[in-house]
């Protein structure tokens, strides 16, 4: 990379773009330009962030600004095409979750990446991997310090009222790719997989209980991991007392985090099994990194400057998307689902609802 500040552009200037712009301010990168199809939203965003360069066409932005990195903050159905456009123009991509709306789209995108690890590359936003406590848990689990993983709970019990679904792109398979499994619980499921690795089998139920939406508003799954660990996963947008809860029961300790949209060190607990010698806390006392976009951006920009591919890699991002696909496939077919059931040719490889959501 040249010895000048990294130049970032944002496409899509709605809610999450503001979180991106704020987090970028704490880095050495420059927010050089933004694009949105809605000229009014774009103008408001540009005014808030002192941006002179704005575009209603992403192609024009790429040609004239030549950013090093584009943050994709548009609705999920736009991600694939925009990411391909950026990669072809030589810009790396950091796309909001969900990275795309099907496994097929994901594979098309990663096939379009140049082989060189220096990029341009495609990476996904999963900001909760980047808090200090999650990183420490992952390291302890990988080192075997906590013993074998046995059981996990992964509960995203959030609340979204009907007005939330009135935004046209929300709650539709064609534009959001699913309901709370795809759009909300994906954060916690990504944390689960970050620690426990490959999933092997999924059984699930998905229901539409209360909201007027085309997708589910709640799903429940039993997941078996390649390691033999088992997990219970709940994804809901119906739960008036909102919570994000992850619990890992290892042979030598239980590790739990209770938070909502982001955790700090204080949100984590570790409980040793009787007589087990494990760390009393995950991270030392004092200031340490909470989860959030800022932590992920710092690492992404450092990798870009060093010519390395950043986390979250395509393999990791695809694994999370494949668990979402497996939950839908298991729920809609009533059958247990393994990774072999989601290969090209499977309807659930093409679309998250497999073209056959029962509503
Ligand atoms: N990581 C997180 O915690 C988090 C939180 C919220 C949303 N998200 C994700 O961020 C993305 C955007 O969500 P949001 O809540 O900010 O949505 P939003 O509706 O508030 O904003 C989307 C913006 O994209 C613009 N847009 C739509 N189509 C476009 C196109 N083809 N080209 C350019 N601009 C276009 C819209 O005009 C709008 O300004 C989604 O993928 C969502 O899942 C992530």
């Amino acid at each position: 990379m040249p010895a000048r500040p990294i130049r970032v552009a944002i496409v899509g200037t709605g809610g999450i773009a503001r979180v991106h712009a704020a987090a970028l301010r704490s880095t050495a990168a420059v927010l050089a330009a933004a694009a949105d199809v809605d000229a009014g939203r774009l103008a408001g965003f540009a005014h808030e962030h002192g941006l002179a360069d704005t575009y209603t066409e992403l192609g024009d932005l790429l040609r004239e600004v030549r950013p090093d990195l584009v943050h994709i903050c548009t609705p999920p159905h736009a991600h694939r095409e925009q990411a391909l456009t950026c990669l072809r123009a030589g810009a790396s991509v950091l796309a909001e979750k969900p990275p795309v709306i099907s496994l097929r789209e994901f594979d098309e995108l990663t096939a379009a990446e140049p082989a060189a690890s220096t990029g341009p590359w495609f990476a996904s936003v999963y900001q909760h991997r980047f808090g200090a406590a999650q990183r420490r848990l992952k390291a302890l689990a990988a080192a075997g310090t906590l013993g074998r993983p046995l059981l996990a709970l992964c509960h995203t019990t959030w609340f979204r009222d009907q007005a939330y679904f009135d935004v046209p792109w929300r709650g539709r398979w064609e534009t959001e790719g699913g309901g709370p499994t795809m759009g909300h619980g994906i954060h916690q499921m990504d944390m689960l997989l970050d620690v426990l690795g490959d999933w092997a089998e999924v059984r699930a139920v998905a229901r539409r209980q209360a909201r007027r939406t085309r997708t589910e508003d709640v799903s429940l799954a039993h997941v078996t991991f390649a390691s033999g660990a088992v997990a219970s996963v709940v994804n809901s947008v119906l739960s008036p007392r909102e919570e994000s809860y992850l619990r890992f029961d290892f042979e030598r300790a239980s590790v739990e985090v209770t938070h909502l949209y982001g955790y700090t060190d204080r949100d984590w607990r570790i409980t040793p099994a009787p007589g087990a010698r494990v760390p009393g806390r995950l991270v030392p006392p004092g200031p340490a990194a909470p989860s959030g976009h800022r932590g992920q951006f710092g690492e992404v920009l450092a990798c870009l400057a060093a010519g390395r591919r950043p986390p979250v890699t395509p393999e990791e991002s695809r694994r999370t998307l494949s668990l979402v696909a497996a939950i839908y496939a298991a729920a809609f077919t009533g059958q247990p689902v393994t990774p072999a059931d989601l290969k090209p040719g499977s309807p659930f490889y093409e679309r998250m609802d497999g073209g056959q959501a029962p509503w």
Side-chain angles (χ1 to χ4, degrees):
M1 291 294 298
R4 56 165 174 76
I6 289 171
R7 288 154 56 77
V8 177
I10 292 180
V11 55
T13 57
I16 203 63
R18 286 168 166 78
V19 175
H20 282 238
L24 280 168
R25 273 201 294 279
S26 68
T27 71
V30 173
L31 177 57
D36 199 300
V37 287
D38 183 325
R41 281 184 171 226
L42 183 60
F45 183 84
H47 178 71
E48 278 172 42
H49 300 285
L51 267 184
D53 271 348
T54 58
Y55 297 82
T56 51
E57 287 288 336
L58 175 61
D60 293 343
L61 182 156
L62 291 166
R63 213 167 21 256
E64 291 175 25
V65 179
R66 305 194 70 75
D68 303 301
L69 177 65
V70 177
H71 289 207
I72 296 187
C73 298
T74 49
H77 68 289
H79 293 184
R80 170 190 165 278
E81 195 55 41
Q82 291 179 332
L84 284 172
T85 304
C86 293
L87 291 173
R88 287 182 192 130
S92 290
V93 174
L94 182 61
E96 262 300 344
K97 63 81 202 140
V100 286
I101 59 170
S102 71
L103 290 171
R104 180 178 59 76
E105 285 196 354
F106 193 91
D107 290 347
E108 283 171 5
L109 196 49
T110 49
E113 284 184 308
S117 61
T118 49
W121 37 253
F122 173 83
S124 307
V125 174
Y126 282 117
Q127 71 268 24
H128 301 311
R129 286 184 180 226
F130 293 85
Q134 169 82 6
R135 285 169 184 251
R136 178 82 175 126
L137 170 59
K138 184 177 179 178
L140 290 173
T145 310
L146 303 174
R148 263 189 325 126
L150 305 173
L151 168 67
L153 304 179
C154 177
H155 294 173
T156 302
T157 40
W158 293 5
F159 187 85
R160 296 290 182 271
D161 64 12
Q162 189 59 45
Y164 175 86
F165 290 97
D166 293 341
V167 174
W169 64 265
R170 292 216 177 100
R172 291 170 186 271
W173 298 102
E174 295 76 12
T175 49
E176 194 171 10
T181 317
M182 182 69 144
H184 307 86
I186 198 167
H187 283 297
Q188 271 62 244
M189 289 190 277
D190 183 66
M191 290 172 72
L192 180 76
L193 294 166
D194 187 34
V195 175
L196 294 184
D198 291 337
W199 63 270
E201 189 190 83
V202 174
R203 294 159 191 263
V205 169
R207 305 268 301 197
R208 190 170 57 200
Q209 298 283 66
R211 300 290 177 265
R212 284 190 309 281
T213 168
R214 301 277 174 83
T215 66
E216 86 288 6
D217 53 20
V218 65
S219 71
L220 306 95
H222 288 167
V223 182
T224 304
F225 285 82
S227 67
V230 288
S232 164
V233 177
V234 177
N235 303 297
S236 158
V237 283
L238 306 175
S239 308
R241 188 181 72 75
E242 293 189 281
E243 185 172 84
S244 305
Y245 177 65
L246 275 154
R247 175 184 179 122
F248 298 89
D249 288 327
F250 292 88
E251 281 176 311
R252 295 188 204 123
S254 294
V255 179
E256 296 164 273
V257 58
T258 307
H259 72 118
L260 188 49
Y261 304 136
Y263 58 79
T264 66
D265 304 337
R266 286 190 303 277
D267 298 321
W268 290 77
R269 295 176 295 288
I270 180 162
T271 307
R277 291 169 63 86
V278 295
R281 41 193 316 156
L282 281 177
V283 282
S291 70
H293 287 77
R294 189 187 292 198
Q296 179 163 9
F297 293 177
E299 192 148 335
V300 167
L301 293 166
C303 287
L304 191 60
R308 287 197 312 269
R309 174 184 271 290
V312 174
T313 64
E315 294 73 26
E316 293 168 319
S317 181
R318 192 185 194 285
R319 183 168 60 191
T320 299
L321 196 66
S322 78
L323 178 58
V324 173
I327 291 175
Y328 287 129
F332 296 154
T333 62
Q335 299 295 318
V337 168
T338 69
D341 296 320
L342 297 175
K343 294 227 162 88
S346 158
F348 293 94
Y349 178 83
E350 296 295 326
R351 284 172 60 106
M352 285 288 160
D353 67 350
Q356 59 190 57
W359 304 299

